[in-house]
């Protein structure tokens, strides 16, 4: 680059040397010639692709000579700088061009505004999609606040046993324990149980049902108390897992009234299975065997586990039925005797001595005096019927006999 400018450099030197002395003029000419010589040397070295280390000293010497040249001549070494041409004054656009430019500017602005609106609309749709997927702002599912009985609700619950195909198309609200949950793709199947009765609920993703709602239902712990609202439909085939086989509920709302906080000690499905073998009177109770597997490969819950978690075991349909049978037996017993003019009495269960002989009693201290649990209402029946004019009396209630027996069916109470 420098070599190509040597003629111009020399002419610049000749142009500028009029205000230099003869000695300075000679020195400047020598520097110019030396710079030209170094420039040729560097150019040839680069053309031969020699390493930079070989021609670097020549480059440094050239830069040093340029600085010296400026000291001698008072001017920078190189071709004279071109003077900038004065900018031509821009002509004002004509009326036609001005209108055209304004139309272009307006069209550009409208295009940018359209793009901005489209971008904002895309962002809004994406935001709404994300919020819907996460369930933001949706009220048709979630955990209910704690029930404190501060207000009287206007909700009306339908008993599960009252559901029938005649109610198809009606919207109902049921409450019960969440017995099973089964998630399949974009839908969830649940079995809600109340006392002895159960019904299946189905929840499919749709415009009203968000993916977050399906995920919420699928993650609820079993045996949580839930409110399920939806439309009664008649399935194509009977629902074998539910007591109400001829109907199911298309879920529109699902709320957890009370969640189970920890993992259950046993599964309700296992506790609902009948014993694999016939129960015997003696020797069948094994405390070390809380669970056992039958010949069919299914788990049964052992007696010890059931008794340790009796509050959970009582939810099974078998135990629910046992207590209902017991209740009805007591009801029929009372009804029969009352029709015969008997009077039901309630006698003390804590007395000062044995009410009849021939059996041991449970003794205890009653504020420093000996006492025992009642082993029979016989004494008080004699008082009321024979001595107090009741004539006919009966009682339904517990009695206690301290008879130490090892059979499973012998009860002290």
């Amino acid at each position: 680059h420098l070599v190509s400018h040597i003629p111009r450099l020399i002419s610049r030197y000749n142009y500028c040397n009029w205000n230099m002395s003869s000695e300075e003029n000679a020195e400047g000419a020598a520097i110019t010639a030396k710079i030209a010589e170094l420039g040729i040397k560097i150019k040839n070295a680069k053309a031969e692709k020699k390493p930079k280390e070989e021609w670097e000293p020549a480059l440094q010497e050239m830069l040093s000579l340029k600085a010296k040249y400026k000291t001698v001549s008072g001017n920078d070494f190189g071709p004279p700088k071109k003077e900038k041409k004065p900018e031509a004054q821009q002509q004002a656009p004509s009326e036609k061009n001005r209108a055209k430019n304004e139309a272009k500017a307006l069209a550009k602005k409208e295009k940018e505004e359209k793009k901005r609106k489209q971008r904002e609309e895309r962002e809004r749709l994406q935001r709404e999609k994300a919020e819907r997927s996460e369930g933001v702002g949706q009220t048709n599912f979630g955990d209910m606040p704690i029930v404190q009985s501060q207000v009287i609700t206007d909700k009306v619950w339908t008993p599960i046993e009252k559901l029938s195909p005649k109610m198809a198309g009606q919207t109902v609200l049921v409450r019960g324990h969440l017995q099973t949950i089964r998630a399949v793709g974009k839908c969830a199947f649940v079995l809600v149980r109340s006392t002895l009765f159960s019904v299946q609920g189905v929840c499919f993703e749709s415009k009203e049902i968000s993916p977050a709602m399906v995920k919420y239902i699928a993650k609820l712990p079993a045996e949580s108390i839930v409110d399920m609202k939806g439309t009664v439909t008649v399935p194509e085939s009977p629902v074998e897992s539910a007591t109400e086989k001829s109907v199911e509920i298309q879920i529109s709302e699902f709320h957890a009234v009370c969640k189970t906080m920890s993992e259950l000690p046993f599964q309700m499905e296992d506790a609902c299975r009948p014993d694999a073998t016939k129960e015997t009177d003696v020797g069948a109770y094994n405390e070390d065997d809380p669970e056992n597997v039958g010949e069919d490969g299914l788990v049964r819950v052992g007696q010890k586990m059931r008794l340790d978690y009796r509050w959970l075991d009582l939810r099974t349909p078998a135990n629910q039925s046992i207590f209902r049978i017991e209740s009805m037996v007591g009801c029929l017993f009372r009804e029969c005797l009352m029709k015969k003019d008997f009077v039901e009495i309630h006698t003390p269960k804590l007395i000062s001595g044995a009410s009849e002989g021939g059996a041991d009693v449970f003794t205890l201290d009653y504020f420093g005096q000996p006492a025992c649990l009642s082993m029979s209402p016989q004494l008080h029946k004699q008082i009321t019927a024979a001595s107090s004019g009741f004539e006919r009396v009966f009682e339904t209630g517990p009695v206690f006999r301290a008879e130490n027996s090892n059979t499973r069916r012998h009860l002290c109470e």
Side-chain angles (χ1 to χ4, degrees), residues 99-117:
K100 189 177 180 180
N101 292 339
E102 289 177 355
K104 285 183 178 180
L106 181 60
K108 184 179 179 181
K109 185 177 179 181
E110 290 176 350
K111 186 177 180 181
E112 290 176 351
E113 181 67 16
K114 184 179 179 182
K115 286 183 177 179
R116 183 186 65 80
K117 290 182 178 179

Side-chain angles (χ1 to χ4, degrees), residues 192-260:
V192 177
R193 184 193 71 253
S194 177
T195 63
L196 290 169
F197 308 98
S198 58
V199 65
Q200 178 173 274
V202 185
C203 183
F204 293 95
E205 283 188 25
S206 63
K207 187 176 180 181
E208 294 78 18
I209 306 299
S210 66
M213 181 173 176
V214 177
K215 291 179 182 177
Y216 171 81
I217 296 174
K219 291 181 179 179
L220 281 175
E223 288 304 300
S224 297
I225 299 175
V226 299
D227 273 355
M228 178 172 65
K229 186 176 183 179
T231 305
V232 178
T233 58
V234 178
E236 295 180 358
S237 57
V239 182
E240 297 299 334
S241 59
T243 62
E244 308 310 304
K245 302 180 185 301
S246 58
V247 294
E248 65 181 6
I249 296 177
Q250 299 292 329
I251 299 172
S252 59
E253 296 183 19
F254 204 91
H255 295 89
V257 180
C258 182
K259 286 184 178 178
T260 52

